Amino acid sequence: MIPKIITIDGPSGVGKGTIAIMVADHFGFNYLDSGSLYRSLALALSEENIDIDKDLVDFKKLLAKINIDYRYCKNGEITIFVNNKEYTNKIRNENVAKMASEVAKNSSAREMLEVIQRNHIKSPGLVADGRDMGTKVFTEANIKFFLTASVEKRAERRLNQLKDQGISANLPNLIKELLFRDKADTERAISPLVPAKDALIVDTTNLSVSQVFTKITKEVDKRI
Ligand code: DC
């Protein structure tokens, strides 16, 4: 049987990851967090002191040597190793996210990561979340979603998440960071953040996680 593919795209902080994991576990599908690959690559490059704009030749050579081993188990358990070094937790901060947004502008980096992303198609299916899952990497997906939410709501959710982790942050700064990344992600020349023509748009501003989950799984049940 051909594996089914569900794509969930949207801006930073919209809650794609939480929903995508719930949907993947519900259907017993594999889960791909494509942003974690951009983060891992960005961190690996910064550890090698490679500046992609200045060191283009070195960058291409280095890409060939970087092995990103991403695995999804279940219950949101992701492990990432880059050249056998564990990256799982150290890619989860705003600094790495910013670097990832920069790396994401580079076409060689995107091509390299696209191959890795497609290797995660597995039976009975895959849920992939990111910015260009429906528009570029998995154009053949059985069903595509694009999640949105106001920047204030996204920042509020991020603030609560950070609070739960015992990390202090403030709302105006979080809004600034989200707007910065929205701009970088939507204005880049290659694979910018836009909904696929055939994507279902879900505005999550006034919806709870379980309401979004129910909406998405109902649509999936109808179509696949
Ligand atoms: O989803 P995230 O915050 O982990 O993603 C980090 C950055 O990676 C994001 O700002 C842009 C880039 N990215 C991308 O360009 N394409 C994707 N499919 C996923 C992430």
Side-chain angles (χ1 to χ4, degrees):
M1 204 179 73
I2 300 170
K4 307 283 186 200
I5 301 176
I6 301 170
T7 60
I8 304 184
D9 287 305
S12 306
V14 77
K16 306 181 293 282
T18 307
I19 296 294
I21 285 167
M22 289 168 73
V23 173
D25 287 356
H26 176 80
F27 291 105
F29 285 9
N30 192 20
Y31 164 59
L32 173 68
D33 167 8
S34 62
S36 71
L37 302 181
Y38 283 90
R39 287 168 183 258
S40 299
L41 180 57
L43 186 59
L45 293 171
S46 87
E47 285 182 353
E48 295 284 336
N49 287 319
I50 296 286
D51 177 336
I52 46 175
D53 294 326
K54 292 198 199 100
D55 308 315
L56 210 53
V57 177
D58 285 353
F59 175 63
K60 285 194 177 155
K61 268 197 228 152
L62 191 71
L63 276 188
K65 287 195 279 175
I66 292 180
N67 171 50
I68 303 178
D69 181 7
Y70 165 101
R71 287 173 203 216
Y72 181 63
C73 183
K74 57 178 177 320
N75 300 325
E77 217 179 285
I78 296 168
T79 53
I80 305 174
F81 284 81
V82 178
N83 293 349
N84 298 320
K85 270 202 310 195
E86 175 135 35
Y87 270 42
T88 310
N89 297 319
K90 59 182 185 176
I91 55 167
R92 304 288 171 195
N93 62 65
E94 196 49 41
N95 190 31
V96 174
K98 261 197 201 144
M99 297 193 304
S101 245
E102 281 304 304
V103 167
K105 293 182 193 161
N106 184 282
S107 58
S108 308
R110 298 202 76 88
E111 278 162 28
M112 172 217 177
L113 294 182
E114 185 168 334
V115 175
I116 300 177
Q117 287 161 16
R118 291 205 55 95
N119 282 339
H120 289 280
I121 302 175
K122 269 190 202 155
S123 267
L126 171 71
V127 179
D129 89 41
R131 306 293 188 289
D132 62 342
M133 299 294 94
T135 50
K136 177 78 173 67
V137 181
F138 302 107
T139 49
E140 80 277 33
N142 301 79
I143 185 159
K144 301 175 183 178
F145 295 94
F146 191 89
L147 304 189
T148 62
S150 70
V151 69
E152 291 80 11
K153 194 72 185 195
R154 287 186 280 138
E156 223 174 83
R157 289 177 187 158
R158 181 60 56 87
L159 187 71
N160 290 334
Q161 249 176 13
L162 292 171
K163 260 193 200 153
D164 288 346
Q165 295 164 15
I167 303 168
S168 66
N170 76 62
L171 207 58
N173 272 351
L174 289 175
I175 291 178
K176 236 196 267 165
E177 281 165 4
L178 286 174
L179 288 174
F180 175 86
R181 282 221 275 148
D182 283 358
K183 189 168 157 57
D185 291 345
T186 52
E187 291 182 2
R188 68 167 173 252
I190 324 159
S191 295
L193 172 68
V194 281
K197 287 199 178 75
D198 47 351
L200 297 167
I201 313 246
V202 182
D203 184 346
T204 71
T205 308
N206 298 310
L207 299 179
S208 66
V209 170
S210 70
Q211 284 171 320
V212 179
F213 172 75
T214 305
K215 220 175 167 70
I216 288 186
T217 46
K218 264 193 191 158
E219 291 297 335
V220 174
D221 283 334
K222 270 194 246 166
R223 297 235 209 143
I224 63 180

